[in-house]
Amino acid sequence: MNAYQLSLFPDEPPIPIAPHTRKRQKQPPAPKPIAIAETYSTAKLADFLGVSPSTLTRHRRAGNAYTKGSWTAKPLGKNTWTLIYTPPTT
C-alpha cells in the first residue's frame, strides 16, 4: 500500500512516504529447568514440598509428575523421586 503526504498548497505534488515497518522485539529465552536432586525419598520430598506423602504416592500411581509452583517432582520408582526447579519467566 502506498501512502502519500498531501501538501497544503495546490501546486505542490503529493510526497510519497516509505511504509513503516515495526521490528519485533526478541523474546528472552525461556528459563531452563534445573535438576535439584536426582533422588529423593517420598517422605523427604513431601516434607520439602509441604504436601502429604499420600499426595505424591497418588500421582506416582497415576503415572503423573507432581507440580507445585515452580517445583516439579517426577517419580523414578516406588519410593524414588527427582526434583526439578523451573525459574519463573519475567
Side-chain angles (χ1 to χ4, degrees):
M1 182 172 161
N2 296 332
Y4 296 95
Q5 179 177 350
L6 301 177
S7 174
L8 294 174
F9 303 104
D11 56 340
E12 291 184 16
I15 302 168
I17 300 174
H20 295 285
T21 58
R22 184 188 305 181
K23 293 184 179 179
R24 287 187 161 207
Q25 294 181 356
K26 287 187 177 181
Q27 294 291 331
K32 295 185 180 181
I34 303 166
I36 300 299
E38 288 297 321
T39 56
Y40 263 108
S41 67
T42 303
K44 189 173 181 180
L45 184 62
D47 183 46
F48 178 79
L49 293 175
V51 296
S52 171
S54 62
T55 302
L56 295 175
T57 304
R58 192 175 336 113
H59 280 272
R60 179 186 52 81
R61 287 183 183 161
N64 300 327
Y66 177 77
T67 303
K68 183 175 182 180
S70 297
W71 300 95
T72 303
K74 292 186 179 181
L76 297 177
K78 184 168 180 136
N79 193 28
T80 310
W81 296 79
T82 183
L83 183 63
I84 300 171
Y85 175 73
T86 306
T89 58
T90 56

